[in-house]
Amino acid sequence: TEIRLSMMFLLLSLAASVVFVTTLVVFFYLFFKPSKASSYKFPPGPRPWPIIGNLNVLDFLKAQETFCKLSEQYGNVFTFHMGRRKFVVLTGYQTVKEALVDQADDFGGRGQTHTSQLFSKGKGVIFGKGESWKTMRRFTLSTLRDFGMGKRTIEDRIVEESKMLIEVFESYKGQPFEPTIHINSAVSNIICTIVFGDRFEYDNPQFLRLQKLVNENIKLLVSPKMQLFNTFPFIGYFIKDLKKVSSNVKENQSFLRNLYKKSKDVVDPNDMRSFIDTFIVKQHEEEAKNSHSYFDEDNMIFTSANLFAAGTETTSTTLRWGLLMMMRYPHIQEKVKAEIERVIGRERPPRSEDRKSMPYTDAVLHEVQRFGNVVPMNLLHETTVDTTFRGYKIPKGTPVIPLLTSVLFDKTQWDTPFEFNPGHFLDAQGNFIRKEAFMPFSAGRRVCLGETLAKMELFLFFTALLQKFTFHLPPGIRPEDLNMEPVPGITASPHSYKLCAVSH
């Protein structure tokens, strides 16, 4: 019996040793094997540590600041290691322009993280890839234009929605209130009329829930824990943020799938009222051809979700920055209001054509976008081919970070980059001037497809509000007391604040 026990113990010990050694071999193979890209010439960068790469120097909540500081040491093009994965970081206007515009095809891919792969599967227009992305982008741009993007029809909707937003602001009778949900709802309703074919009342529970899901995920997706998951996906089981994001995505998709199913068999090709209707008709046409098609249910779900999220968050966040800036700098607010009074007056609503006669207001809006820096990290790009950039040979499939923060605050392009200064967009005579380094919508093949709509919304909502109200801080709060630091997220939003909207 003792011999048997000894033998069993020996065998168990041997088995455990084999498992341990095998695990070590696999571990070292995965993390220390020579890179296949060793024949390429990557830019310089901080020396990576084993396993973690350069994560030891990364400020997870302000990654853009880490990269800006590193660029001072390693130059405008450098390599940063997230674990074993090499990222090429591009900083400064000239560098980002050369990559995204001058070599647009080479740097026009969408970089993928474990999160984007998990929740988008290469579908949709934001994280889409390859021919699927090209097809969806062409179709989406065409459909947005058909439903009035950049035209009088969508302008009329924005004007009407701004009147409803003004009514909500007036209901507070000059008392302090938090404007976020009202601004979100107004802006979101514009894209909702396109995607769903109708607007929502501001107190609609389903509407508020959809907004909440988007807002939560925008913050959670770049939390430190989620960034660690993107580097070390095997820890996903332990990440609560991942479970919450997954739950939010499923709920959002469930809403869209139900809409899709309700519309699929009843849509009228002669009376298409929404993006979803148009997609379904196109899907039927492709199915009739009996050929492979990218117009499947998943692409409808992901593209519609992309439009709802992107069409709500960035514009509403920029407007919130705009009102915050007007309270922080009341003398600038006075100049904007004086120009509105002179050009538009107090009775008729603002129209897009007024913009060319309002250089100061135009400059203020551009400076709000520049200084607000709503998408500080840009979205991840990827090289589509082996390419040479500034003497470095970068392989196909390399993730690239074209840092928008470094463009919007480039000291070589802006006189006072770290100050809110509408003069950046005005000449000596007070005329509006365009700046090539103004890239809040990114540039190149992946430039924001809703740029035209966003610009129209920003001007019409902003001028309508400033036409009707003077914005003040609540009693006891001074302009210098305002927290101007952004809240970390995919988009950089202002901290929650209250305002007093005093009507004339």
Side-chain angles (χ1 to χ4, degrees):
T1 302
E2 290 181 1
I3 294 174
R4 287 201 193 102
L5 288 174
S6 298
M7 289 295 292
M8 288 177 64
F9 179 80
L10 182 61
L11 288 171
L12 287 172
S13 299
L14 182 61
S17 298
V18 170
V19 170
F20 178 75
V21 171
T22 302
T23 302
L24 279 180
V25 170
V26 171
F27 180 88
F28 277 90
Y29 174 77
L30 288 175
F31 287 100
F32 296 101
K33 66 178 180 178
S35 172
K36 291 181 180 179
S38 59
S39 61
Y40 294 94
K41 182 183 178 184
F42 275 83
R47 185 179 180 85
W49 286 24
I51 304 175
I52 66 171
N54 299 128
L55 295 183
N56 58 304
V57 300
L58 181 66
D59 184 338
F60 285 97
L61 295 178
K62 298 178 181 178
Q64 67 272 16
E65 294 186 11
T66 297
F67 293 142
C68 285
K69 290 178 181 176
L70 288 173
S71 71
E72 295 176 2
Q73 181 177 357
Y74 297 102
N76 293 118
V77 186
F78 63 90
T79 301
F80 190 88
H81 291 74
M82 305 275 196
R84 293 193 71 254
R85 196 179 183 197
K86 293 181 178 180
F87 288 67
V88 171
V89 184
L90 310 176
T91 64
Y93 164 65
Q94 290 295 341
T95 308
V96 172
K97 173 184 173 294
E98 285 178 31
L100 299 192
V101 179
D102 300 344
Q103 294 183 229
D105 290 339
D106 293 4
F107 288 88
R110 171 63 71 223
Q112 299 291 316
T113 63
H114 289 289
T115 304
S116 64
Q117 290 173 341
L118 184 62
F119 296 124
S120 74
K121 304 173 185 176
K123 300 290 184 78
V125 290
I126 293 182
F127 296 105
K129 299 194 71 176
E131 287 301 317
S132 175
W133 168 73
K134 292 178 183 178
T135 302
M136 287 301 105
R137 185 176 175 89
R138 282 194 301 266
F139 172 78
T140 301
L141 271 173
S142 174
T143 305
L144 288 175
R145 288 170 184 148
D146 288 344
F147 280 97
M149 186 175 75
K151 300 176 184 177
R152 184 82 179 198
T153 49
I154 202 70
E155 181 180 351
D156 290 341
R157 293 181 191 175
I158 299 169
V159 169
E160 288 303 309
E161 196 67 44
S162 65
K163 291 178 181 177
M164 297 176 189
L165 181 60
I166 286 169
E167 288 179 5
V168 174
F169 277 32
E170 285 178 331
S171 69
Y172 288 94
K173 302 183 185 302
Q175 296 302 306
F177 69 96
E178 216 288 344
T180 298
I181 193 64
H182 306 313
I183 294 174
N184 272 1
S185 296
V187 172
S188 186
N189 264 333
I190 305 305
I191 197 65
C192 284
T193 61
I194 296 175
V195 176
F196 308 132
D198 203 358
R199 68 179 297 278
F200 294 87
E201 294 299 324
Y202 291 179
D203 60 354
N204 182 294
Q206 181 67 72
F207 187 38
L208 295 174
R209 181 61 183 166
L210 289 174
Q211 292 181 52
K212 183 179 180 182
L213 296 176
V214 170
N215 292 335
E216 282 184 350
N217 277 3
I218 279 173
K219 300 297 181 291
L220 289 173
L221 282 168
V222 293
S223 70
K225 292 179 180 179
M226 288 297 287
Q227 292 183 63
L228 282 174
F229 164 71
N230 280 326
T231 305
F232 308 112
F234 58 84
I235 67 173
Y237 180 81
F238 305 99
I239 305 296
K240 289 183 179 180
D241 287 357
L242 178 62
K243 295 175 183 178
K244 182 60 177 175
V245 169
S246 180
S247 174
N248 289 349
V249 168
K250 288 177 181 177
E251 185 176 344
N252 182 281
Q253 291 179 356
S254 177
F255 170 79
L256 291 169
R257 288 189 195 281
N258 286 335
L259 274 182
Y260 172 77
K261 290 175 182 178
K262 289 178 182 178
S263 303
K264 188 172 183 181
D265 296 324
V266 299
V267 64
D268 182 357
N270 298 312
D271 184 27
M272 293 183 292
R273 301 183 179 184
S274 68
F275 174 85
I276 292 177
D277 286 354
T278 309
F279 191 101
I280 291 171
V281 169
K282 182 69 173 177
Q283 184 182 38
H284 289 164
E285 292 174 356
E286 293 296 313
E287 288 174 349
K289 295 177 183 177
N290 211 13
S291 61
H292 172 75
S293 172
Y294 294 106
F295 289 89
D296 54 36
E297 184 175 336
D298 278 348
N299 252 329
M300 194 287 294
I301 298 300
F302 289 118
T303 303
S304 298
N306 291 165
L307 289 173
F308 178 81
T312 298
E313 174 62 24
T314 53
T315 303
S316 62
T317 297
T318 304
L319 283 170
R320 288 168 57 211
W321 276 118
L323 297 185
L324 185 64
M325 297 300 178
M326 294 304 95
M327 295 188 294
R328 178 67 177 84
Y329 304 102
H331 65 286
I332 294 177
Q333 181 177 186
E334 290 174 8
K335 290 182 179 180
V336 171
K337 293 178 67 64
E339 188 172 67
I340 293 172
E341 178 85 11
R342 183 173 66 255
V343 176
I344 302 173
R346 297 190 179 186
E347 300 303 320
R348 73 170 179 85
R351 307 297 305 200
S352 292
E353 63 188 18
D354 294 319
R355 189 168 197 151
K356 62 180 181 292
S357 302
M358 302 173 67
Y360 189 78
T361 302
D362 203 3
V364 167
L365 278 170
H366 277 70
E367 184 66 356
V368 167
Q369 288 182 269
R370 185 198 71 83
F371 193 80
N373 188 27
V374 171
V375 191
M377 288 286 291
N378 206 337
L379 293 179
L380 192 64
H381 281 236
E382 183 179 278
T383 50
T384 58
V385 294
D386 287 0
T387 187
T388 300
F389 185 76
R390 292 196 171 184
Y392 303 108
K393 189 176 180 182
I394 303 170
K396 175 183 178 180
T398 299
V400 177
I401 301 174
L403 196 65
L404 289 186
T405 296
S406 69
V407 177
L408 298 176
F409 292 86
D410 190 330
K411 295 177 183 177
T412 69
Q413 301 295 316
W414 310 99
D415 294 335
T416 57
F418 301 104
E419 296 178 15
F420 183 76
N421 177 13
H424 286 139
F425 298 93
L426 296 168
D427 64 16
Q429 289 73 44
N431 300 310
F432 179 81
I433 53 175
R434 300 185 182 279
K435 291 291 189 72
E436 293 297 322
F438 180 72
M439 282 188 185
F441 299 101
S442 193
R445 295 181 67 210
R446 291 280 179 169
V447 67
C448 174
L449 57 77
E451 179 177 353
T452 301
L453 177 60
K455 287 178 176 178
M456 181 182 285
E457 287 181 296
L458 285 173
F459 178 77
L460 293 176
F461 278 119
F462 184 76
T463 52
L465 291 171
L466 270 292
Q467 181 188 43
K468 296 296 182 182
F469 304 104
T470 300
F471 293 96
H472 301 284
L473 291 168
I477 299 179
R478 302 171 301 172
E480 54 270 27
D481 295 332
L482 289 172
N483 186 350
M484 304 302 288
E485 285 290 315
V487 177
I490 294 176
T491 58
S493 61
H495 286 267
S496 176
Y497 64 83
K498 290 186 176 182
L499 53 74
C500 299
V502 180
S503 57
H504 299 150

